[in-house]
Amino acid sequence: PEPIGWEAAMTRISDEEAMSLGATHQHYKGGYYRYIGIGGHTENGEQLVAYWHVHPHPSSLHFRPVENFFGKITGGFPRFRKLGMEDA
């Protein structure tokens, strides 16, 4: 049967399809995101990455510390892989 609801939202797409939707990065768990930029927290100056969720969940704006966004997970893999780049 054809997936519906949440199952349909979790359908995998290719990097090329994600980039056509405006995605610039892929999270290690599979979601695609558009990097917006870096800004400072108004209270403590912490540097945060602003990014937009593109696929598969509903679009939404997120913020994450720079070190976390550009950091590596266990095994040395990037938390967010830049699309169009060879895997590190």
Side-chain angles (χ1 to χ4, degrees):
E2 194 68 27
I4 58 172
W6 179 252
E7 294 174 9
M10 291 302 292
T11 302
R12 289 282 194 196
I13 61 174
S14 69
D15 284 359
E16 292 76 22
E17 290 171 307
M19 288 188 290
S20 76
L21 296 173
T24 59
H25 290 75
Q26 182 181 29
H27 189 266
Y28 76 97
K29 291 182 181 176
Y32 286 97
Y33 298 84
R34 179 183 312 130
Y35 170 85
I36 297 171
I38 297 174
H41 189 289
T42 58
E43 304 263 328
N44 61 21
E46 179 182 19
Q47 294 293 288
L48 302 170
V49 170
Y51 60 104
W52 189 260
H53 192 116
V54 174
H55 180 84
H57 308 293
S59 294
S60 55
L61 181 63
H62 297 271
F63 300 90
R64 183 183 291 253
V66 169
E67 301 81 22
N68 187 279
F69 187 90
F70 292 111
K72 307 249 183 217
I73 61 169
T74 304
F77 297 101
R79 181 174 306 279
F80 287 87
R81 175 181 67 88
K82 186 167 176 143
L83 298 177
M85 303 289 289
E86 293 295 321
D87 290 333

